[in-house]
Amino acid sequence: MAVDLQASAPSSPFPSPPLSPVPEKILADNNAFQYQGDLDKVKRQLGRQHIQMIAIAGCIGTGLFFGLGEILALTGPLGALLVYLHVSTVVYATIMSIGEMGAFAPISGSVIHYVARWLDPAAGFALGWNYCYYAAIAIPLEITALTAFVSFWDSNPNHTAIYVAATVVGLFIINLFGVRWFGNSEILFATLKILLAITLIVGGLVISLGGGPNHDRIGFRYWKDPGPMVSMHTALEPGATGRFLGLLVAIVPAAYSVSGFELIAIGAAESVQPRTNIIRAMKFVIFRLVFFYLCSVIIVGMLIPSNYPDLSSLSPFVLAFELAGVKVLPSIINAIVISSAYSSANTCVFTASRILYGLAVQKQGPKIFTTCTKSGLPWVAVVVAGMFSLLAFMTVSAGASTVFNWFVSLSTMCGLIGYGWTVINITYLRYYYGLKLHGIVPQGIYRSPLQPYAAMWAIFWSIFYILISGISVFWTFSASSFIASYINLPVILCLYVGYKVYHKTKMQPLAELDFISHIPTLEETGDEALLLEKVPLLQQMGIV
């Protein structure tokens, strides 16, 4: 287990701060955040290859392979490219914030722990349970998407329950056999995703240049007709206003499609050399975003007209190759997209279970969730998270499907993306300025030259995402749509205010923040080699 750095070897990269000599006493006296290190029994079993592939798998999923069609229909090909370019900047800024805090303190609970520790325990409680619910309800959503992809071959609705049951069993097997099973499965799924993405990009480029069976040279034909920025929302507002409305509506689903990078930090407590691996994963995420997402947006925009019927309900890649007359490839694509949906559900089980475990370790959740096997698997949390997969059976019945859709509405994207990213970056600013006030300079741990301005950029746009998440409802107002878009905000507010009032928590002054207790040294996590690494020339120049 991690020990107090004040008692660690002199080679520790974190010098004792001149302020707050007894931070743990201050924490115990003034708020309800109490990290119970004696209950943290997970073990470091994820290697470098696991973290790298989990980072890729977290960023590439059904949002890319399936959701891209909806965004293309909302904005047109140029609009989709602009939306993803913008969202990528916010995502990268948030990744830097999470990555730096995760490398400084690779502890169970990760993001939830940092918010509760350096911002406000009530904010950590609200964020933790919001994230947990979102990840848990996403499990049956991904299973539902998987069964929809299976219907490409088997359209018999009576078989849906069979596919759901097989998926649920598989999820329990992988997650209950240990974290290395999860890590190894994600290596497989991430490899398939990478191969598929590269195949789609290269194959799409070949088809657009006339290399398909019909030898039709498409090029940028659809950028001219129907046009680069054509939106379905021109029916609500004509002309440029409708196209701009389409851009606003597309931002939140685009942000959702690239979310999942939180996994970089969530698995830190179970990673070998977490600081080294988190820093590497963080640095390469932006290149993955640029290559996989932006290239895919360009290719899909070349191959499919944005006004194609039912584009928002189809996989644009499968549709593109079908339109080009390729017979076999659509089935291969569909098979890998199914594995992508399974991987996303698998990741959600892992995420929800580790957040439950992290909340319990810091006394913000039932203690039973800290129960671990001898190998360090929090099996109670895994079982509870996995039980949410059973909700996928509700989609088999039309009546139960309506109830299920309301469960989904409670986990709106504005709550996860808007509130979550905002709070994470605010926490980073307190972490950044707290370290500065305490005179702590973490040696060997990457610090981006873009900070703290990158965090400020992300905060501004995350709040903006909250405001526009249901903007289209104000043109054709529907009470149910309005509630579905914004109901998560009062839920989060109730969690925050309720916990704050009951436990009488307060935000600590920067001078009293705890940067010492229960944070392992570089030697304890096997990351001492970071002290010997030379700073790259580009980083010295402040370019990266």
Side-chain angles (χ1 to χ4, degrees), residues 21 23 40 50 85 107 134 140 143 167 190 239 242 278 281 292 299 305-306 327 351 360 381 389 394 427 467 523:
D40 195 350
H50 295 117
L85 275 171
I107 303 173
Y134 188 92
I143 296 175
T167 305
I278 285 175
F292 291 119
I299 294 299
S306 59
K327 301 298 183 182
T351 302
S389 63
M394 298 180 71
T427 301
L467 299 177
E523 290 83 355

Side-chain angles (χ1 to χ4, degrees), residues 86-99 258 261 281-287 289 421 425 446 448 450-451 454-455 457-458 544:
H86 166 70
V87 167
S88 294
T89 65
V90 181
V91 168
Y92 187 59
T94 308
I95 288 172
M96 287 191 291
S97 297
I98 292 177
V258 298
F261 53 83
M282 178 186 70
K283 287 181 178 179
F284 286 103
V285 163
I286 187 61
F287 300 108
L289 287 173
W421 293 2
N425 283 287
Y446 174 80
S448 171
L450 300 178
Q451 295 286 20
W457 170 269
V544 297

Side-chain angles (χ1 to χ4, degrees), residues 352-521:
S353 63
R354 272 31 178 207
I355 292 176
L356 277 176
Y357 178 77
L359 286 166
V361 167
Q362 59 194 44
K363 297 187 71 173
Q364 292 184 326
K367 185 177 179 180
I368 191 173
F369 292 141
T370 64
T371 306
C372 291
T373 64
K374 291 182 179 179
S375 61
L377 174 72
W379 68 272
V380 175
V382 170
V383 169
V384 171
M387 293 293 286
F388 277 81
S389 63
L390 300 177
L391 291 175
F393 285 104
M394 298 180 71
T395 60
V396 177
S397 167
S401 180
T402 303
V403 179
F404 176 71
N405 289 334
W406 276 100
F407 277 121
V408 175
S409 297
L410 288 173
S411 62
T412 54
M413 289 178 282
C414 76
L416 174 73
I417 294 170
Y419 176 78
W421 293 2
T422 302
V423 169
I424 287 168
N425 283 287
I426 291 175
T427 301
Y428 175 81
L429 290 180
R430 285 179 53 81
Y431 158 83
Y432 177 89
Y433 288 111
L435 287 179
K436 195 172 183 179
L437 182 63
H438 284 249
I440 299 176
V441 180
Q443 300 174 19
I445 293 180
Y446 174 80
R447 304 187 75 187
S448 171
L450 300 178
Q451 295 286 20
Y453 308 108
M456 296 175 186
W457 170 269
I459 290 169
F460 173 82
W461 287 111
S462 297
I463 294 173
F464 180 74
Y465 294 168
I466 294 175
L467 299 177
I468 67 166
S469 60
I471 190 171
S472 62
V473 76
F474 296 105
W475 269 261
T476 55
F477 188 80
S478 165
S480 59
S481 298
F482 179 82
I483 293 173
S485 297
Y486 292 104
I487 193 172
N488 198 239
L489 295 181
V491 170
I492 291 173
L493 184 62
C494 288
L495 288 172
Y496 175 78
V497 174
Y499 191 88
K500 194 171 188 66
V501 170
Y502 183 80
H503 290 283
K504 298 180 174 60
T505 67
K506 65 180 182 180
M507 186 182 298
Q508 297 296 315
L510 294 180
E512 296 180 1
L513 295 183
D514 176 15
F515 295 107
I516 298 298
S517 60
H518 300 293
I519 297 178
T521 64

Side-chain angles (χ1 to χ4, degrees), residues 23 70 87 138 175 181 222 244 312 318 331 351 362 399 436 479 503:
E70 175 189 4
V87 167
N175 284 276
W181 274 63
Y222 300 128
F244 182 68
S312 60
V318 173
S331 291
T351 302
Q362 59 194 44
K436 195 172 183 179
H503 290 283

Side-chain angles (χ1 to χ4, degrees), residues 20 59 65 87 117 127 217 221 241 248 275 315 317 384 425 501 524:
S20 303
C59 292
F65 298 130
V87 167
R117 182 171 186 154
L127 179 65
R217 189 180 180 89
R221 177 189 306 167
T241 304
L248 295 181
R275 293 177 167 110
S315 172
F317 294 104
V384 171
N425 283 287
V501 170
E524 289 175 314

Side-chain angles (χ1 to χ4, degrees), residues 139 142 170-171 174-175 181-182 185-186 189 341-351:
I139 300 169
E142 295 293 347
L171 292 175
I174 288 178
N175 284 276
W181 274 63
F182 168 78
S185 68
E186 287 305 297
F189 294 135
Y342 185 88
S343 170
S344 297
N346 191 38
T347 298
C348 289
V349 174
F350 177 83
T351 302

Side-chain angles (χ1 to χ4, degrees), residues 63 66-84 87 226-257 297 300-301 304-314 316 413 468-473 475-476:
F66 188 73
L68 186 54
E70 175 189 4
I71 296 169
L72 181 63
L74 285 170
T75 66
L78 177 60
L81 183 60
L82 294 175
V83 165
Y84 271 105
V87 167
M229 294 186 68
V230 179
S231 173
M232 63 173 64
H233 285 279
T234 52
L236 303 178
E237 286 287 341
T241 304
R243 291 192 292 272
F244 182 68
L245 178 59
L247 290 175
L248 295 181
V249 173
I251 283 177
V252 175
Y256 171 75
S257 71
V297 168
V300 168
I304 305 175
S306 59
N307 59 356
Y308 190 88
D310 298 323
L311 177 59
S312 60
S313 61
L314 300 170
M413 289 178 282
I468 67 166
S469 60
I471 190 171
S472 62
V473 76
W475 269 261
T476 55

Side-chain angles (χ1 to χ4, degrees), residues 46 49-58 60 65 170 174 179-197 335-344 346-347:
L46 293 175
Q49 71 279 14
H50 295 117
I51 295 298
Q52 290 286 339
M53 288 302 193
I54 287 173
I56 295 174
I60 304 175
F65 298 130
I174 288 178
V179 69
R180 286 193 67 86
W181 274 63
F182 168 78
N184 290 334
S185 68
E186 287 305 297
I187 288 177
L188 173 61
F189 294 135
T191 301
L192 291 175
K193 290 178 181 180
I194 292 171
L195 292 175
L196 175 60
I336 300 180
V337 169
I338 288 173
S339 75
S340 176
Y342 185 88
S343 170
S344 297
N346 191 38
T347 298

